[in-house]
Amino acid sequence: MKATKAKVFPSPLTAFPIIFPSLCKILLGFLGCRSKYFKEMDLSGKMVRQVEIKSDGDAFHQIFRYKPHHISTVSPGKIQSVDLHEGDWGSVGSVIFWNYTHDGKEKTAKGIIEAIDEEKKLVRFKTVEGDLMQLYKTFIATVHVDTKLGGNNLVTWTFEYEKLSGNVVDPNSLMDFCIKLTKDIEAHHLK
């Protein structure tokens, strides 16, 4: 008896590229682009945290708008100095230079006041130089105060950022720093 060769049929998964090579190239190209897109999307982030304060919300807003240089006297362990490099205190477009200690290390940040909304009690700072720029392509910090009549006020910190790489961690410890700074300012105003 003569042995006959069995016919081997490729599985559907291995046959697909053979039968539809053009479609495979298109799908792989699309998936490759989508993969790159999602990796880039992972680099952008937004972080929001709120904290209640018992002190005057208007006074809190005023310190970030007109008197950030006073923060170093309120919380010298966190903020060593705040200097005006261009413009006027409390004006959009002004350039402010911060010397601060974060995670036990002395750091700097040069920021531009990007927006001020007096009605919403909001100040937005865009970082343009300093230690944060070694980790982030863009970094914007917004501080906003909701004032309540006869009650506690709510301070909202918002970070919008784009990391330089996927190895950069989210700025959780910096957010913790801002919440603690908020509490320092509150304690100072309650004295």
Side-chain angles (χ1 to χ4, degrees):
M1 206 170 181
K2 204 174 191 186
T4 58
K5 258 188 171 175
K7 288 188 176 180
V8 179
F9 293 99
S11 74
L13 292 177
T14 56
F16 191 79
I18 296 167
I19 298 169
F20 303 104
S22 297
L23 184 58
C24 284
K25 286 180 184 176
I26 292 168
L27 284 173
L28 286 173
F30 174 75
L31 292 174
C33 289
R34 297 293 292 173
S35 172
K36 181 181 176 188
Y37 171 77
F38 285 120
K39 285 179 186 173
E40 288 175 5
M41 287 299 293
D42 289 343
L43 298 179
S44 295
K46 183 174 182 176
M47 184 178 292
V48 179
R49 192 150 336 143
Q50 297 180 317
V51 61
E52 278 193 348
I53 58 170
K54 294 176 184 161
S55 61
D56 182 13
D58 291 319
F60 187 90
H61 169 67
Q62 295 303 316
I63 199 165
F64 276 96
R65 178 170 182 181
Y66 292 111
K67 304 174 186 176
H69 52 290
H70 289 189
I71 298 173
S72 61
T73 59
V74 172
S75 187
K78 292 179 184 64
I79 307 292
Q80 285 68 58
S81 67
V82 181
D83 300 311
L84 183 66
H85 278 212
E86 291 177 35
D88 298 311
W89 293 114
S91 299
V92 172
S94 295
V95 178
I96 299 174
F97 193 82
W98 301 75
N99 286 295
Y100 62 102
T101 301
H102 173 239
D103 287 341
K105 297 177 184 168
E106 291 185 11
K107 299 186 178 185
T108 62
K110 185 177 186 180
I112 298 172
I113 297 178
E114 192 175 67
I116 296 172
D117 188 326
E118 198 61 36
E119 193 173 306
K120 293 181 180 178
K121 296 182 183 13
L122 175 145
V123 181
R124 179 177 299 125
F125 299 94
K126 179 179 182 179
T127 305
V128 294
E129 288 180 21
D131 293 280
L132 287 172
M133 295 292 92
Q134 294 174 7
L135 302 171
Y136 301 96
K137 184 177 180 181
T138 59
F139 195 92
I140 298 170
T142 304
V143 60
H144 163 246
V145 185
D146 283 319
T147 54
K148 300 176 184 175
L149 292 174
N152 291 344
N153 298 296
L154 192 63
V155 175
T156 303
W157 284 94
T158 305
F159 293 164
E160 298 170 85
Y161 54 90
E162 183 179 348
K163 302 174 189 178
L164 286 175
S165 77
N167 299 328
V168 175
V169 297
D170 290 326
N172 289 306
S173 70
L174 187 60
M175 183 62 83
D176 293 340
F177 172 91
C178 289
I179 297 300
K180 290 174 186 171
L181 180 63
T182 299
K183 289 311 226 175
D184 288 351
I185 294 168
E186 173 192 33
H188 176 78
H189 285 155
L190 290 175
K191 285 182 184 177

